[in-house]
Amino acid sequence: DETIIEDNVWIGSGCFIGKGVKIGSGTRIYSNVTIECAEIGKNVLIYSGVRIGQSGFGFAPSSEGHIKIPQVGKVIIEDNVEVGANTCIDRGSYGSTIIGEGTFIDNLVHIAHNVRIGKYCAIAGQVGIAGSVIIDDYCMFGGQVGIGGHIHIGKGSQAGGQAGITKDLLVGSKVSGTPAIPLT
């Protein structure tokens, strides 16, 4: 219901496209992909096993245990994005999780609720991005980089493999290590 699939979209076997999803023209979705609560742009490549628009890890601690916070937002993936196999992109708890135009995401990446990734970023395999992170345009992350929640990564920043980013990075930062420290 209420799903829009534009012209020249290719959907592989075993996929699930949920209610209200929008998929732009020229997009290719490989096998066993689940897409819910999302708007997908034009000419997007989504490889096998990807999960888009699932509930994020939102909870509030209480004296009676954890209370689940409803995840009612969506995912917006802009044009010409590539999403690698078995990547998970959670929908926003409120508002949207956004992947900017021309961004390349490798296999096995996790992007949490309310993350905003700018245009033309490159994110290598096994990167984990915690909730409400803002990543500006043209950033690059090596394999297994971890980014803590509510951090702002400045335009053109780069992080070497396995960097642990625990605080904001200024425009053009180059960091490595855990915790991440400047390379220059």
Side-chain angles (χ1 to χ4, degrees):
D1 291 340
E2 303 169 29
T3 298
I4 298 170
I5 299 175
E6 294 182 356
D7 294 336
N8 300 314
V9 171
W10 185 85
I11 300 174
S13 63
C15 290
F16 175 82
I17 310 296
K19 179 180 178 179
V21 168
K22 297 177 184 173
I23 301 173
S25 64
T27 291
R28 292 183 62 87
I29 301 168
Y30 291 84
S31 62
N32 300 314
V33 169
T34 302
I35 303 175
E36 300 180 84
C37 306
E39 295 179 14
I40 310 296
K42 296 177 181 176
N43 302 311
V44 173
L45 292 176
I46 301 172
Y47 290 100
S48 297
V50 168
R51 303 292 181 247
I52 296 171
Q54 312 307 301
S55 283
F57 188 62
F59 65 92
S62 78
S63 60
E64 298 175 15
H66 301 304
I67 299 169
K68 180 75 173 159
I69 296 172
Q71 308 286 291
V72 297
K74 63 182 172 180
V75 173
I76 297 173
I77 297 178
E78 296 179 355
D79 298 343
N80 303 308
V81 168
E82 186 168 318
V83 181
N86 295 313
T87 286
C88 295
I89 304 173
D90 295 341
R91 69 177 178 254
S93 54
Y94 55 88
S96 298
T97 300
I98 301 170
I99 312 298
E101 177 183 357
T103 288
F104 277 31
I105 301 167
D106 197 3
N107 301 334
L108 298 166
V109 171
H110 178 249
I111 299 169
H113 61 274
N114 296 96
V115 168
R116 294 190 341 233
I117 298 175
K119 296 178 180 182
Y120 307 108
C121 293
I123 301 170
Q126 296 185 337
V127 166
I129 304 172
S132 300
V133 167
I134 297 171
I135 298 171
D136 291 339
D137 300 343
Y138 303 103
C139 290
M140 297 172 60
F141 303 98
Q144 295 185 335
V145 167
I147 304 172
H150 303 271
I151 287 175
H152 183 191
I153 308 290
K155 182 177 180 179
S157 291
Q158 299 177 8
Q162 293 190 331
I165 301 173
T166 60
K167 60 184 180 179
D168 293 353
L169 297 181
L170 300 175
V171 171
S173 293
K174 293 181 178 161
V175 299
S176 189
T178 299
I181 58 171
L183 291 173
T184 54

